[in-house]
Amino acid sequence: SQKIEQNSEALNIQEGKTATLTCNYTNYSPAYLQWYRQDPGRGPVFLLLIRENEKEKRKERLKVTFDTTLKQSLFHITASQPADSATYLCALINQAGTALIFGKGTTLSVSS
Amino acid sequence: DTAVSQTPKYLVTQMGNDKSIKCEQNLGHDTMYWYKQDSKKFLKIMFSYNNKELIINETVPNRFSPKSPDKAHLNLHINSLELGDSAVYFCASSQDAGEGYGYTFGSGTRLTVV
């Protein structure tokens, strides 16, 4: 069955540094991958989508890469700020193409 | 405001009771979903509805039943609540299930079974 792994449960970095989060998947070749942000007590918020034929996608300070050979996506936040502190979730469409399955998330803490 | 709204936000109930959680979206999306987030924060798909048709059901106990009176609503009814049902339940919607559109989530319903 499909598996999604976000290797780090928690990541602590200093303000101004680049945060890099990793998402690995197995047993599947998804057509696209999505990243979400979740703050405590709130629902996930969609950030970015990257398709299998795209190597990289950018949105403001966010950058996502998608390596279908390694079965891995990297999510970067440049010039990180304390307001970026949240849990970031990686998601793939399931094999039936009917719903997203989510990784367990990485909780990012940015200290000033 | 355009959004996915779910009620109630908090629900505390005794074991064995039956309860419902309501969800409405005014985004004109075609597909709606229910997800369960457990104490370990793992978000798991429960159901999705596309044009009033159930298209997945991920090994959820049949005590849980989704009901969709129209495209904008997907309610979750739970019978005979158990302690293990305690979790945060999220409703979500998307333009289409498989075409790569981002999901819009509600703010969640924290269910506590005592």
Side-chain angles (χ1 to χ4, degrees):
Chain A
S1 62
Q2 300 161 268
K3 281 189 176 179
I4 305 173
E5 290 182 356
Q6 293 187 248
N7 293 351
S8 301
E9 282 195 20
L11 180 64
N12 301 306
I13 64 168
Q14 282 198 315
E15 184 175 9
K17 302 291 187 185
T18 296
T20 298
L21 285 63
T22 305
C23 175
N24 294 293
Y25 59 93
T26 58
N27 300 332
Y28 183 43
S29 296
Y32 57 83
L33 184 148
Q34 300 186 11
W35 284 89
Y36 288 76
R37 168 181 173 144
Q38 186 173 22
D39 291 284
R42 313 196 81 157
V45 174
F46 171 69
L47 295 176
L48 281 168
L49 175 148
I50 185 165
R51 298 189 183 275
E52 59 181 342
N53 60 349
E54 298 174 315
K55 295 295 185 188
E56 182 180 296
K57 201 82 168 279
R58 291 177 185 262
K59 179 182 175 183
E60 298 172 353
R61 294 184 295 110
L62 308 181
K63 185 179 87 171
V64 173
T65 63
F66 194 9
D67 189 324
T68 55
T69 302
L70 292 178
K71 294 187 182 298
Q72 181 180 82
S73 174
L74 298 180
F75 177 81
H76 306 272
I77 306 175
T78 58
S80 59
Q81 305 166 359
D84 295 326
S85 298
T87 297
Y88 292 87
L89 304 166
C90 167
L92 303 174
I93 190 71
N94 63 7
Q95 285 186 295
T98 54
L100 290 177
I101 54 173
F102 285 81
K104 291 188 177 183
T106 296
T107 298
L108 173 68
S109 297
V110 181
S111 55
S112 55
Chain B
D1 289 344
T2 54
V4 176
S5 57
Q6 54 183 109
T7 55
K9 189 168 176 64
Y10 300 97
L11 185 53
V12 181
T13 188
Q14 289 188 327
M15 282 175 52
N17 283 351
D18 302 339
K19 290 293 178 185
S20 292
I21 305 172
K22 294 186 176 181
C23 179
E24 175 182 6
Q25 57 96 2
N26 59 4
L27 299 163
H29 286 168
D30 288 330
T31 308
M32 295 183 71
Y33 312 85
W34 278 104
Y35 281 83
K36 178 181 180 180
Q37 190 166 46
D38 60 25
S39 57
K40 296 182 180 179
K41 307 300 182 186
F42 190 32
L43 202 61
K44 292 182 71 173
I45 182 70
M46 298 178 71
F47 302 104
S48 71
Y49 255 76
N50 187 336
N51 291 327
K52 300 178 72 171
E53 183 180 355
L54 179 68
I55 56 175
I56 66 168
N57 180 339
E58 289 287 326
T59 63
V60 173
N62 58 14
R63 298 181 296 103
F64 290 79
S65 55
K67 299 202 187 302
S68 181
D70 55 54
K71 195 173 101 165
H73 296 83
L74 183 63
N75 303 324
L76 183 65
H77 190 74
I78 316 168
N79 289 327
S80 303
L81 278 155
E82 300 177 357
L83 292 177
D85 298 332
S86 296
V88 181
Y89 293 83
F90 286 100
C91 178
S93 71
S94 69
Q95 186 77 10
D96 186 285
E99 294 303 313
Y101 296 98
Y103 287 17
T104 302
F105 281 82
S107 56
T109 295
R110 181 173 293 278
L111 172 65
T112 303
V113 183
V114 297

